[in-house]
Amino acid sequence: AAVASAVAGCGLLGAAAWRRGGGASSLAPHPATAPLGEFIRADDEGEKDDAEEEKGDEEKGDKEEKSDEDQKAKSEKPKFGHRPKSLNSVPVTNATLEKMPKKSKGSSSAIKIDEDGKINTYYLPGATVVDNGKSVEYRPPYRFYLMKTDTTDYSKEENFYKPIFPGKTFSVDMDFRGQNGPSCGCNINFYLVDMPVGFPGKDKDYYCDAQCFPDMGCCHEFDMNEGNENVQQITDHACTGHYSQDSSWKCNKWGDPEVKITPPEFGKGSGNTIDGTKKFTFSQRFDVHGNGLTVTTTISQGGKTLKKTMNSNGEMQNMLEKLQQGMAFVTGYWTAPDMNWMDGESCGSGTEHCSEEPAYISNWRITSNDSPVPSPSPNPSPNPSPSPSPSPSNDVEMTCGWCSSGSCGGC
C-alpha cells in the first residue's frame, strides 16, 4: 500500500522511472527523479516489476503498430458512396452469342410478363428463360435488353420494349438459393437507361449509362435494383449537367436519391427482416404528383415487409421526363473485386470474390397503380401462404430522400 501511495504521489512518474540499485535485494529510486526515499523490495518482486514493465512496453509498441496499420487501412478504405470505374458486364450480340458457354445460353429467350392481368411475351436475347417463360436464370458476366422481338439489333429504338413506369408498379420474385448464393462482389441487377445512342461504342450495342464510360454513351440511368445476398440498392442517376462533386459530370455518377438496404433489414440469415438467402418479392411503385416523382420499393417475405420511399427532388424530376418517354430495360449479372461501393457496409473494404452462383428472377408483373398487383403463380410449399396483411410489428417503413441502413437524410 505504501508503494502504491508513493507512486501515485509521483504524478507522471511510474514504474519506468525506477531502477534496480546498489544492494542485491534492493530497488532504489532514480537519483534524478526520486525525492520520496528508498523502497525495499524482495528480488523476486523487483524482477516481477521489471517483467511487467517490459511487457507493458511491448504492449504499447504493439498498440502503436496496430494503430499505424489501422490508420493505413482507413486511408486505403474505398469510399463506399463512389461508383465503379468500369462496366464488367458483357452484352449479348451476334458475336458474343456464338462464344457464350452452353450453361449461360438458354434455348429460349422469350419472357412472359403479366401486364394488368394480360400475359405478354417479350425477349431477352441470349438469356436462359425457364419455367415456360416465367423465370430467368442469371449467370455472370452477361447483360440483356428487353426487346419486342428476338433480335440483337440494338441500333433501332423501335426494337426495344420500353415500359412506361410512371403510374405503374413493377414486381418480381427473386431467389438467390441459399447460403452459398451470389455473394459479396456479385451484382444482380435490372435498371433503365436512355439507349440506344447514335454510335455502337466499344461493345457494339449502342449502350449508354450515367457513368459515361469511355467509348460508350452517356445518358440517364435509373437503377431499379442491384445487389446480392447481402444488400439491395436503388439509385437515381439523372443528367442535369450541374454537380458540385465534379463540374465535368454530365450525369450524377453517385446518384441522388439512393436507397441502400443492408443488415439488419436485408442480409444473410434469419436475423434480418428479409433473409437474402431465401426467395423474396421485390415490388417498385412509381407515383407522379404534378411534376414530382415518388418511387416506393417494397420487399416482402414470409409475412414480413420492408418498405423504402424515394421522395421527389430536382434529380427525380429530371428523371421523370425520361421515364415518361420510355427507357430501355437492362438486366444482368456482373462481378468485380471492388464492389465495395455497393456492398461494403456488409462485406467490408477488402478485395471481393464473387461466388458466381446463379440467381433467379421470376413472375414478372407490371400493374397500373389503380389496379391490384397480380399474385405470382403459387409454388408447392409445406408452409401456408402468408396473410395478405402482415402484422405491423414486422413492417419496417422509411420515407425520405436518401436511406442507408436505417439512416435518412435529405428528407
Side-chain angles (χ1 to χ4, degrees), residues 302-352:
K304 294 183 178 181
T305 301
L306 182 67
K307 184 178 290 186
K308 301 285 187 177
T309 300
M310 297 168 66
N311 281 334
S312 187
N313 60 10
E315 297 290 288
M316 291 281 276
Q317 291 175 1
N318 180 266
M319 180 61 67
L320 176 59
E321 297 178 13
K322 292 297 181 180
L323 290 172
Q324 290 175 327
Q325 296 170 13
M327 300 174 70
F329 185 98
V330 189
T331 183
Y333 184 165
W334 60 285
T335 71
D338 56 353
M339 199 74 75
N340 319 83
W341 56 267
M342 182 185 76
D343 58 22
E345 283 83 351
S346 300
C347 302
S349 61
T351 301
E352 299 183 328

Side-chain angles (χ1 to χ4, degrees), residues 10 13-14 17-19 27-39:
C10 292
L13 296 177
W18 303 91
R19 64 177 176 82
L27 180 66
H30 193 288
T33 58
L36 298 179
E38 296 185 355
F39 299 96

Side-chain angles (χ1 to χ4, degrees), residues 256-295:
D256 176 29
E258 177 184 275
V259 172
K260 189 186 294 287
I261 312 173
T262 57
E265 295 179 316
F266 182 97
K268 295 179 67 172
S270 58
N272 299 283
T273 304
I274 304 297
D275 183 352
T277 68
K278 298 179 180 180
K279 182 184 289 188
F280 59 91
T281 297
F282 181 96
S283 182
Q284 198 161 71
R285 177 182 174 115
F286 296 76
D287 286 305
V288 179
H289 309 281
N291 62 349
L293 172 68
T294 298
V295 177

Side-chain angles (χ1 to χ4, degrees), residues 93-114:
T93 62
N94 289 335
T96 58
L97 194 58
E98 296 175 358
K99 300 177 182 179
M100 289 178 69
K102 187 175 181 180
K103 68 177 182 179
S104 297
K105 179 169 58 178
S107 58
S108 174
S109 65
I111 176 74
K112 295 179 180 178
I113 301 180
D114 185 336

